């Protein structure tokens, strides 16, 4: 039972460049992970077809396009994500309260009118590749540790269901937004995996113990000699951490 709960919390980053390769990964892992993250590269190449394929194979989708535009544009794009049947989608919290509130309200109203389940709307706080120096370069003088909970509170108050944030900021977000606000954490690496381009990382067990609701993991599974076994091992590590919480 704990293994199944853990599996639902694992999101595989489907960072590939063709529908055929995506289909191979979905066939291999749809029973091993809870969702597949479809990002800008794959969606730009394949469009909605890749979402339809994943759902037809029995998988669920986290549409990771990080909308950041004027409020009406983001609201309407979020409605199209709803119509695609994705389980999660996201916007950039730096787009501001009005933008996030427009998306949350429009999706909620459209879901109710159509009798559809609304996706979990997430706001990206600060990318896991960013550091305090990165923020200073673009004119944000507050450190990451200040900006993440500030943006999380803004997202919560705008009607978002959760945030995407580094696992290292989980405790800050929980203190700012409470226990029922979803936290999706990229930047998760098993202890033996390479860091790659992530800067603020944590192991799966540590992220779950800290209070993450979902973990996004890509390369540590995709680059493993046996990706299915790697996914199983991560789920087992997550389950053990859940049992200890």
């Amino acid at each position: 039972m704990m293994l199944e709960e853990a599996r639902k919390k694992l999101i595989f980053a489907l960072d590939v460049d063709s529908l055929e390769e995506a289909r191979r990964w979905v066939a291999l892992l749809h029973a091993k992970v809870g969702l597949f993250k479809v990002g800008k590269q794959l969606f730009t190449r394949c469009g909605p077809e890749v979402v339809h394929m994943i759902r037809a194979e029995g998988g669920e989708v986290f549409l990771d396009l990080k909308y950041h535009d004027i409020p009406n544009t983001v609201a309407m794009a979020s409605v199209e994500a709803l119509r695609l049947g994705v389980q999660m989608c996201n916007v950039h919290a730096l787009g501001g309260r009005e933008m996030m509130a427009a998306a949350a309200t429009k999706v909620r109203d459209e879901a109710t009118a159509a009798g559809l389940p609304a996706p979990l709307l997430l706001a990206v706080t600060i990318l896991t590749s960013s550091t305090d120096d990165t923020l200073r370069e673009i004119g944000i003088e507050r450190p990451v540790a200040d900006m993440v909970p500030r943006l999380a509170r803004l997202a919560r108050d705008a009607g978002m269901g959760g945030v995407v944030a580094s696992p290292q900021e989980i405790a800050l977000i929980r203190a700012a937004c409470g226990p029922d606000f979803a936290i999706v954490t990229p930047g998760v690496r098993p202890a033996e995996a390479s860091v790659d381009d992530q800067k603020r990382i944590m192991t799966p067990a540590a992220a779950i113990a800290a209070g993450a609701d979902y973990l996004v993991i890509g390369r540590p599974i995709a680059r493993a000699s046996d990706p299915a076994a790697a996914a199983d091992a991560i789920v087992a590590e997550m389950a053990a951490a859940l049992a200890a919480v």
Side-chain angles (χ1 to χ4, degrees):
M1 195 70 177
M2 198 63 74
L3 281 172
E4 179 61 14
E5 183 181 348
R7 184 190 69 81
K8 291 178 180 179
K9 293 177 176 290
L10 177 58
I11 303 171
F12 177 65
L14 201 56
D15 294 330
V16 299
D17 60 6
S18 73
L19 185 66
E20 293 71 26
E21 190 175 358
R23 195 187 306 277
R24 287 195 294 272
W25 282 112
V26 173
L28 179 66
L29 296 176
H30 74 273
K32 305 288 185 180
V33 304
L35 298 95
F36 292 91
K37 181 179 77 70
V38 173
K40 294 181 179 68
Q41 179 185 12
L42 185 58
F43 197 81
T44 301
R45 176 71 179 270
C46 302
E49 185 178 0
V50 70
V51 176
H52 296 316
M53 179 274 292
I54 293 169
R55 301 200 69 226
E57 293 287 338
E60 298 291 348
V61 177
F62 167 24
L63 189 61
D64 179 31
L65 300 182
K66 302 181 181 71
Y67 301 134
H68 187 169
D69 211 310
I70 63 173
N72 184 66
T73 296
V74 170
M76 297 312 295
S78 300
V79 166
E80 294 305 326
L82 159 72
R83 291 171 177 160
L84 278 176
V86 304
Q87 188 169 317
M88 298 178 183
C89 60
N90 59 7
V91 307
H92 258 297
L94 287 169
R97 182 196 301 266
E98 183 183 357
M99 185 199 79
M100 290 188 285
T105 300
K106 189 68 173 175
V107 167
R108 184 169 56 247
D109 290 349
E110 289 291 323
T112 299
L116 296 171
L120 176 60
L121 291 178
L122 302 165
V124 176
T125 53
I126 300 297
L127 297 174
T128 54
S129 59
S130 296
T131 64
D132 292 350
D133 288 339
T134 310
L135 297 186
R136 279 192 291 270
E137 286 175 353
I138 59 173
I140 298 175
E141 297 300 327
R142 292 175 179 269
V144 169
D146 285 354
M147 285 301 299
V148 169
R150 180 190 182 98
L151 290 170
R153 280 193 298 269
L154 190 68
R156 179 201 60 191
D157 294 347
M160 293 282 113
V163 290
V164 181
S166 159
Q168 294 186 7
E169 280 88 54
I170 292 171
L172 296 173
I173 295 166
R174 284 280 173 248
C177 298
D180 299 325
F181 194 61
I183 302 176
V184 177
T185 57
V188 177
R189 292 285 186 275
E192 69 277 6
S194 63
V195 170
D196 298 309
D197 57 355
Q198 304 286 357
K199 301 288 176 59
R200 305 191 320 279
I201 62 173
M202 192 175 281
T203 66
I208 290 292
D213 293 293
Y214 298 90
L215 309 185
V216 180
I217 301 179
R219 284 169 284 196
I221 295 173
R223 292 179 179 174
S225 57
D226 185 340
D232 285 342
I234 290 170
V235 168
E237 180 181 338
M238 293 166 64
L242 283 170
V245 171

